[in-house]
Amino acid sequence: MSTGTSQTIMDNLNTYLTQLGKWKIKVNTDKCQAVYFTRRRSNPKPPMLYRRPISWSNSTRYLGVTLDKKLTYKEHIENIRTKYNGVKAHLYPLMGRKAKLSLRYKLLLYKALLRPVISYAAPVWGAAAKTHIKKLETLQNSTLRMITDAPWFIRNKNILHDLRVPTIKEFFSKLAINFFNQIDKHSNPAIRSIPKYDPSTNRKKRRPRTLLLQDE
């Protein structure tokens, strides 16, 4: 199986390189990464690019999303937390507990500048394990407690209710519904040809459309 998989990878790669050659484009092998997405411990032979092997990586970054080989998105969510805390630190003079800005504008800053850091490309990775999503819920809850200067005995769910802010899980579900509805109605034939699947058939795989399951 490993040999067959390696051959399939090489056939696809050679087809890709042939198309690039027609456009007089050469790939820089020093900037290439190869990730074999699987939960298996063993990998096939690394692909060859211009007779040079490209060693397998455990993760890669594509369009701002870190894709690990098992698609758990653990590394991506850790990157989100780091970036979020950095942006939050810069906004603290405006959003801190003792900041003079009104609650209305503090909340607006959160929705416009901080929440997008969390939700970027969420329809792709938002079906990650609950333990990972909970870390993002913590980011939101701590920020809302800060901007409202809420005392310790006020529950997070009460703050969310009073501010009319959905949980991260609910927000991701809303984004996913809009995203996948647009895909299903898209005019691009390449997008319309993407295979559809029923997310309820095997929930353990937690594929992107799992976000459409409201009871998940």
Side-chain angles (χ1 to χ4, degrees):
M1 181 178 293
S2 177
T3 303
T5 302
S6 298
Q7 187 60 45
T8 300
I9 293 174
M10 285 306 307
D11 290 343
N12 293 333
L13 184 58
N14 289 332
T15 301
Y16 175 66
L17 293 176
T18 300
Q19 294 297 323
L20 291 180
K22 294 180 180 179
W23 289 89
K24 308 299 182 182
I25 298 175
K26 185 176 181 180
V27 178
N28 186 346
T29 56
D30 293 330
K31 296 183 178 180
C32 290
Q33 286 183 311
V35 180
Y36 187 59
F37 296 104
T38 180
R39 293 184 179 274
R40 297 178 180 177
R41 295 183 178 180
S42 60
N43 293 331
K45 294 181 180 179
M48 302 287 290
L49 190 60
Y50 302 122
R51 299 182 181 180
R52 179 178 176 180
I54 306 298
S55 58
W56 294 115
S57 300
N58 290 326
S59 64
T60 188
R61 190 176 178 87
Y62 182 70
L63 297 179
V65 178
T66 303
L67 304 169
D68 59 276
K69 62 180 296 184
K70 295 184 179 180
L71 293 179
T72 63
Y73 299 105
K74 178 180 179 180
E75 184 177 347
H76 178 67
I77 290 175
E78 289 300 322
N79 292 339
I80 288 177
R81 295 176 67 192
T82 301
K83 183 177 180 180
Y84 182 96
N85 288 328
V87 176
K88 181 180 176 182
H90 282 88
L91 294 175
Y92 185 80
L94 296 174
M95 300 176 61
R97 289 181 177 269
K98 304 304 179 182
K100 296 182 179 180
L101 199 65
S102 67
L103 177 59
R104 175 187 175 186
Y105 290 111
K106 287 181 180 180
L107 186 59
L108 182 61
L109 284 175
Y110 167 72
K111 291 181 178 180
L113 299 177
L114 284 173
R115 190 166 64 179
V117 175
I118 296 177
S119 61
Y120 174 75
V124 175
W125 56 267
K130 294 180 180 179
T131 53
H132 299 325
I133 302 301
K134 188 176 181 180
K135 295 177 182 178
L136 303 180
E137 297 279 8
T138 301
L139 292 179
Q140 173 171 269
N141 292 338
S142 64
T143 301
L144 296 182
R145 297 190 74 89
M146 179 185 72
I147 67 177
T148 56
D149 195 17
W152 63 269
F153 54 83
I154 302 297
R155 292 179 176 271
N156 290 326
K157 65 178 182 180
N158 293 336
I159 297 176
L160 291 170
H161 178 268
D162 292 342
L163 295 178
R164 297 181 180 179
V165 174
T167 64
I168 293 299
K169 176 184 173 182
E170 292 169 346
F171 188 62
F172 283 3
S173 295
K174 181 180 178 180
L175 293 177
I177 291 172
N178 294 334
F179 176 76
F180 289 113
N181 283 341
Q182 290 177 8
I183 286 182
D184 295 338
K185 300 176 182 178
H186 208 283
S187 59
N188 188 319
I191 294 178
R192 292 179 64 89
S193 64
I194 297 176
K196 298 181 181 180
Y197 58 89
D198 183 359
S200 63
T201 55
N202 191 343
R203 299 191 182 191
K204 291 183 179 180
K205 289 187 176 181
R206 305 196 65 83
R207 300 170 73 179
R209 287 181 184 260
T210 305
L211 280 170
L212 300 177
L213 302 176
Q214 299 298 322
D215 60 339
E216 181 66 17

